[in-house]
Amino acid sequence: TVTQGYGADTLLQRGMIVGLQKDDPRKVEPINSDDYDRLHGVVIGANESAVLLGRDDEKVYVASGGRFPVLVSSQNGNIAVGDYVAASSVKGVGMRAGDIEPVILGKAIEAFDSGNQDEIKSAVTVKDNNGNEQRLAVGIVTVDVSIGKNPMLKSNNDLPTALRRASELVAGKPVSPIRVYMSLAILVVATAISGSLIYSAVRSSITAIGRNP
């Protein structure tokens, strides 16, 4: 295989998922799920490719195809052989792809069990959308790297265009129709309750004024 070398402003580890820097396409940096559109490949060792291309200052070798070890986490559950792997919320680390990740890095050809201490290389703590901390196990699996659209991605065609764009703007990524409609239902209920409370307060105030002119 032929592998291109890149520069980097930060220390990158073998197996990290990286993307091209926005301001300098000759450099790469670790990315997370928010940067799925910049997914470029995985960092590999110099001895893992038959041909290496790059200048003297481009010693970070990135593979966009082939079978290579990739850092993964338990963020979306354990990884089984055949599962698709996508970028997680942890920069440089992947996870099992679900049906909302638009782009995948490739398909796992090894399993990762976060319950097996022998497979865990490290751990990291992240916060979910509610601010709750989540402890993730990090390991390494071999992935058949082939960057492309997630075959399991659920289409948002069931949503009106305006609603789909609004949900993506708020979430920063595609959101399944079920989650959008659930959020709308919660919003409607909350609005109704707030309106009822305001009406009751105003009515009580008017009644009190009428009794005490």
Side-chain angles (χ1 to χ4, degrees):
T1 58
V2 178
T3 304
Q4 178 66 47
Y6 295 88
D9 293 331
T10 58
L11 183 63
L12 297 178
Q13 180 182 341
R14 176 175 173 263
M16 276 188 168
I17 298 174
V18 296
L20 299 177
Q21 283 191 11
K22 293 180 180 179
D23 57 348
D24 189 351
R26 298 194 69 88
K27 294 182 179 181
V28 291
E29 60 185 359
I31 62 169
N32 59 19
S33 53
D34 292 334
D35 304 310
Y36 68 85
D37 55 334
R38 292 197 290 125
L39 179 58
H40 191 61
V42 59
V43 176
I44 67 172
N47 61 342
E48 293 182 277
S49 179
V51 180
L52 301 173
L53 303 178
R55 303 180 305 187
D56 291 340
D57 59 343
E58 296 173 338
K59 296 300 184 181
V60 178
Y61 299 106
V62 179
S64 298
R67 295 186 171 188
F68 299 98
V70 176
L71 288 169
V72 293
S73 74
S74 57
Q75 183 168 19
N76 209 19
N78 292 329
I79 297 175
V81 174
D83 282 345
Y84 291 109
V85 175
S88 71
S89 64
V90 182
K91 287 191 174 183
V93 181
M95 67 177 184
R96 178 172 62 85
D99 56 13
I100 62 172
E101 286 74 35
V103 178
I104 59 166
L105 175 70
K107 184 180 291 186
I109 58 177
E110 290 180 339
F112 172 61
D113 181 3
S114 60
N116 186 344
Q117 294 298 319
D118 293 335
E119 297 184 19
I120 299 175
K121 305 301 181 184
S122 63
V124 62
T125 300
V126 298
K127 289 186 177 181
D128 59 23
N129 295 333
N130 298 320
N132 300 318
E133 290 189 347
Q134 181 183 8
R135 188 72 168 172
L136 305 178
V138 176
I140 298 176
V141 298
T142 300
V143 174
D144 188 0
V145 179
S146 180
I147 300 171
K149 182 180 178 181
N150 185 357
M152 301 187 302
L153 181 65
K154 285 187 176 180
S155 173
N156 274 354
N157 292 336
D158 294 336
L159 290 173
T161 302
L163 189 56
R164 175 175 56 81
R165 290 178 178 175
S167 65
E168 291 179 358
L169 180 63
V170 172
K173 61 182 179 181
V175 183
S176 66
I178 293 178
R179 294 187 179 184
V180 173
Y181 287 126
M182 286 179 62
S183 299
L184 284 176
I186 293 173
L187 178 62
V188 169
V189 172
T191 301
I193 293 174
S194 298
S196 177
L197 292 174
I198 293 173
Y199 171 78
S200 298
V202 171
R203 185 171 182 277
S204 297
S205 298
I206 293 176
T207 301
I209 293 173
R211 292 174 178 174
N212 302 284

